[in-house]
Amino acid sequence: MAEMDRTTAQTFTRGATRFAPSPTGELHLGNARTALFNFLLARRAGERFVLRIEDTDASRSLAEHTEGLLADLVWLGLEWDAGPGCEDALGPYHQSQRGAFYARLFSQLEHQGAVYPCFCTALELAAARSAQRSAGRAPRYPGTCRELTESERSQRRAAGLAATLRFRVPSGRRIEFTDLVHGAQSFLSDDIGDFVVRRADGSAAFFFSNAVDDASMGVTQVLRGEDHLTNTPRQLLILEALGLPAPRYGHLALILGADGSPLSKRHGAASVREFRERGYRPEALINYLFRLGHSSPEHDLLGLEALVHAFDTHHLGRAPAHFDEQQLRVWQKAAVHRLSPAQARGWLGALLPQNVDPAAVEAFTTAVLPNVVLPEDAQEWVRIVFGAPPPLDAEGEQIVREAGATLFAAAARAVAVSGNDLAAIVAAARQASGRKGAQLYRPLRFALTGLGHGPELAPLLRAMPTGEIERRLARFA
Ligand code: GLU
């Protein structure tokens, strides 16, 4: 016990940021960016990075989504210090397992008279909202059940009506806080209707569980989507009523698609899984997300350590960021350039033919990587290098014919003598034909690859068996 207390105390003194996804779908880019920024903020401040799964809504939360979220975060390199798989004294980190903790706090609030049971049905609430809207007022809970007497409550319970628990918002208060992104914020409590903290089925509502978990998990800084900005005053009221510490909140501007609407499926791929399956590299996604809404003088592809140093909440923009896949491709190109031969082999994976000599594969990836962004771009070159001799189009045929048979006969002989050494092949072809420069290279390139453009020839030839090179050249001798 003493040991646990000490751990808890140390954990608390360090402070923490967190990522708190609801497992109701796949991890999309907006949430991945939120996770990244919280991760960087924690590392930058020497704090812990906590992962909490907000699965109180049992009907929409799926275990497979949680699995997917965890796998995506690991793939991105955003490993958490506390959370699923690394529980500690401040857990559990699935909200669905924290019911007893919430129940204690609900009792405390009931005891203080800070909450009350509300028996209004969904229909009644909808009718009140529409009446308020047609009267030109912002819809909020009209307070129907706020002042019910104990006997009125008992009657409703006896009639079998289910009750939610509502927070009694104090009147005449100004709620102020400084947002890490948007600066000073001020809300009037009179604009906030009493809100539900416990659903009729007994589960904790988002406002509540999210706020009290931050406090109990020692979270000191929270970066989250701007859609939560107006939730913050409610959450501050809950924490205040319970005498719990509030984190500093920062609300991140949205990510928009090219058409200006919030990024979603309609804009094509939007989930991390989709980008991963298309062959995007995690470091490319991370570098691009880092620049979406965070200005930086660093224009190079940075590793996570360097991103930690470059991250600064003062550089977070207030305006929405626009997602542009062309920009992501630029980062991807940079990431692909940096792959080691072993990484490149893993990245191209199933595309590469089996049973090919590892040295040939390495020569192939060296040749091809500068020309590809996604694995699918390498497909054609796998076929050209490892497949049957490629046919030539009309232009290729003409160029090869004009170059003449002597050139190819000499080139094929050079292969028989010196193997797949481009310099030797070129020297022999030059001597036999008197050609040089493009006049010499283009016909050779067409004969060897079927195309007039492509990756550097020397490493491409090192990827091919000598006999194959000789055969391709001899076709035109
Ligand atoms: N589960 C909430 C969401 O995914 C968390 C919001 C927050 O970060 O506070 O939107």
Side-chain angles (χ1 to χ4, degrees):
M1 190 65 202
E3 183 53 40
M4 184 169 141
D5 282 346
R6 208 163 31 247
T7 318
T8 311
Q10 279 169 0
T11 315
F12 265 109
T13 50
R14 255 178 85 205
T17 71
R18 52 76 168 167
F19 176 51
S22 307
T24 53
E26 297 191 313
L27 182 68
H28 57 76
L29 288 191
N31 268 345
R33 187 190 60 165
T34 302
L36 169 67
F37 286 174
N38 279 292
F39 172 89
L40 297 177
L41 182 60
R43 292 284 176 273
R44 181 77 205 242
E47 296 183 341
R48 295 170 305 126
F49 175 54
V50 171
L51 175 63
R52 180 175 70 237
I53 304 298
E54 303 216 318
D55 55 354
T56 56
D57 185 346
S59 62
R60 295 175 60 224
S61 302
L62 291 182
E64 69 191 65
H65 289 317
T66 303
E67 294 306 313
L69 288 167
L70 303 188
D72 287 343
L73 290 174
V74 170
W75 180 73
L76 289 169
L78 307 180
E79 308 235 5
W80 48 100
D81 304 304
C86 48
E87 297 283 342
D88 59 18
L90 303 184
Y93 288 94
H94 280 80
Q95 288 190 325
S96 56
Q97 295 166 18
R98 298 176 64 78
F101 169 63
Y102 303 144
R104 278 202 302 282
L105 298 182
F106 287 133
S107 298
Q108 183 183 336
L109 291 173
E110 280 173 316
H111 190 70
Q112 294 170 205
V115 290
Y116 60 87
C118 168
F119 301 92
C120 296
T121 62
L123 217 60
E124 286 164 342
L125 294 170
R129 274 197 298 274
S130 83
Q132 287 167 333
R133 275 204 197 93
S134 32
R137 295 202 308 272
R140 60 193 173 95
Y141 182 65
T144 320
C145 296
R146 193 177 226 249
E147 306 302 343
L148 292 182
T149 63
E150 225 11 87
S151 84
E152 286 169 325
R153 285 177 186 154
S154 305
Q155 273 169 20
R156 283 166 174 72
R157 284 197 190 98
L161 291 181
T164 59
L165 201 61
R166 277 189 193 270
F167 187 82
R168 195 185 289 279
V169 174
S171 62
R173 286 273 311 276
R174 186 178 284 281
I175 304 141
E176 293 177 314
F177 62 95
T178 305
D179 189 273
L180 289 166
V181 179
H182 296 269
Q185 302 292 308
S186 174
F187 293 83
L188 295 176
S189 68
D190 291 342
D191 292 337
I192 305 173
D194 293 348
F195 54 89
V196 173
V197 289
R198 189 178 66 200
R199 302 186 189 101
D201 65 4
S203 62
F206 163 76
F207 291 132
F208 177 85
S209 49
N210 179 270
V212 301
D213 280 347
D214 281 343
S216 71
M217 292 172 181
V219 172
T220 44
Q221 306 195 80
V222 168
L223 293 174
R224 60 181 180 178
E226 206 170 67
D227 44 331
H228 290 291
L229 181 60
T230 54
N231 296 335
T232 304
R234 293 175 178 81
Q235 299 196 291
L236 292 174
L237 287 173
I238 294 173
L239 293 172
E240 182 190 72
L242 289 165
L244 293 173
R248 295 192 67 194
Y249 292 97
H251 290 89
L252 302 167
L254 288 179
I255 302 180
L256 305 179
D259 61 356
S261 66
L263 189 66
S264 73
K265 273 242 81 56
R266 286 185 301 112
H267 299 100
S271 77
V272 169
R273 178 192 56 79
E274 287 167 303
F275 284 103
R276 181 179 61 229
E277 286 179 358
R278 285 168 61 198
Y280 277 101
R281 298 285 309 167
E283 54 276 26
L285 264 179
I286 287 282
N287 269 269
Y288 183 46
L289 291 175
F290 179 74
R291 273 91 179 177
L292 269 181
H294 182 277
S295 58
S296 170
E298 294 279 0
H299 299 299
D300 291 339
L301 187 86
L302 300 178
L304 273 176
E305 269 317 302
L307 288 177
V308 167
H309 290 291
F311 183 72
D312 186 337
T313 51
H314 294 107
H315 294 166
L316 291 169
R318 294 183 187 183
H322 284 86
F323 175 78
D324 175 0
E325 192 166 343
Q326 287 312 317
Q327 292 292 323
L328 174 59
R329 286 174 65 87
V330 172
W331 292 108
Q332 167 77 359
K333 214 166 171 18
V336 168
H337 277 189
R338 291 191 187 192
L339 293 179
S340 69
Q343 286 173 318
R345 174 192 274 267
W347 182 62
L348 293 176
L351 277 183
L352 294 169
Q354 304 300 311
N355 310 323
V356 172
D357 170 29
V361 171
E362 184 169 335
F364 176 79
T365 54
T366 307
V368 161
L369 281 197
N371 290 54
V372 301
V373 175
L374 293 173
E376 67 195 30
D377 305 328
Q379 186 114 46
E380 181 182 27
W381 289 99
V382 169
R383 214 177 39 244
I384 290 172
V385 172
F386 299 111
L392 275 60
D393 63 9
E395 186 202 5
E397 285 285 355
Q398 193 188 342
I399 286 175
V400 163
R401 220 175 318 110
E402 276 173 15
T406 338
L407 181 153
F408 290 105
R413 252 193 326 275
V415 178
V417 176
S418 330
N420 54 6
D421 172 11
L422 181 66
I425 298 169
V426 167
R430 181 190 295 125
Q431 210 178 14
S433 66
R435 290 176 164 230
K436 52 186 198 264
Q439 288 289 310
L440 182 59
Y441 276 91
R442 261 172 80 75
L444 284 173
R445 186 178 270 286
F446 266 113
L448 289 164
T449 69
L451 295 176
H453 63 272
E456 261 193 81
L457 266 185
L460 268 191
L461 293 193
R462 283 199 292 276
M464 283 189 227
T466 318
E468 178 64 19
I469 302 173
E470 197 182 339
R471 234 186 335 275
R472 289 186 184 191
L473 292 167
R475 287 189 290 174
F476 304 104

